[in-house]
Amino acid sequence: MIAYDLQCSNGHRFEGWFEDSNSFDQQNSQGLVSCPVCEDTVISKLPSTFAIKGASSGSSMINQSDPEALAALGQQIVDYVEKNFDNVGADFAQEALKMHYGVSEPRNIRGVSTPQEEETLKSEGIDFYKVPIPQKATDPDPDAT
């Protein structure tokens, strides 16, 4: 048995147990995996913290109960994505389809998509991962009272 951290398109996180990776893929593609909160069947795997190795030693695991270590890891992921992926914004699905069909050159992209666009990408056989990127805090307006 294998346990996956899962998330629905509405952002609810939950755990799912499957015989193996193929079992999850098959059940998910058939719409058999659903969110226990809202019953959404647009489900994606989340990176599991217990399988992520720390960058400093290369062999120690991230302590899940250490909020500072998790925040630092999260910031490293955000920094990597921002530096290595083109932000195509709301055109994510269109750009992914263009690359899939050879209309444009393959590259790392990031952006946003609707649940309907995500279903289209899945039905076309396009792999993508949803990584929540926190919004940067904006400086307060100095003229506001």
Side-chain angles (χ1 to χ4, degrees):
M1 294 295 273
I2 187 167
Y4 286 119
D5 292 325
L6 305 172
Q7 182 173 345
C8 74
S9 65
N10 295 314
H12 302 122
R13 295 177 179 208
F14 58 99
E15 185 176 275
W17 289 75
F18 301 89
E19 187 173 330
D20 54 30
S21 179
N22 290 336
S23 179
F24 166 78
D25 293 338
Q26 182 180 21
Q27 290 180 40
N28 196 36
S29 69
Q30 295 174 352
L32 299 175
V33 181
S34 65
C35 174
V37 176
C38 66
E39 298 182 7
D40 183 15
T41 58
V42 179
I43 307 298
S44 58
K45 290 183 209 175
L46 295 173
S48 181
T49 55
F50 65 80
I52 299 174
K53 293 186 178 185
S56 60
S57 68
S59 62
S60 64
M61 297 291 183
I62 297 294
N63 181 349
Q64 295 182 44
S65 62
D66 183 355
E68 289 180 17
L70 290 174
L73 176 62
Q75 188 60 51
Q76 289 175 350
I77 293 169
V78 168
D79 291 344
Y80 181 84
V81 169
E82 287 179 348
K83 290 177 186 171
N84 295 285
F85 289 72
D86 293 335
N87 187 354
V88 296
D91 294 331
F92 178 81
Q94 293 84 353
E95 290 298 317
L97 286 164
K98 286 179 188 176
M99 289 186 293
H100 182 70
Y101 288 108
V103 175
S104 63
E105 290 294 317
R107 67 191 194 283
N108 294 328
I109 61 171
R110 63 185 169 103
V112 295
S113 57
T114 66
Q116 295 80 15
E117 289 171 329
E118 292 168 9
E119 280 297 316
T120 299
L121 294 175
K122 286 180 183 179
S123 70
E124 295 293 324
I126 300 172
D127 291 329
F128 62 93
Y129 298 96
K130 295 176 71 170
V131 178
I133 303 291
Q135 296 292 323
K136 292 185 181 195
T138 57
D139 293 329
D141 183 356
D143 297 327
T145 56

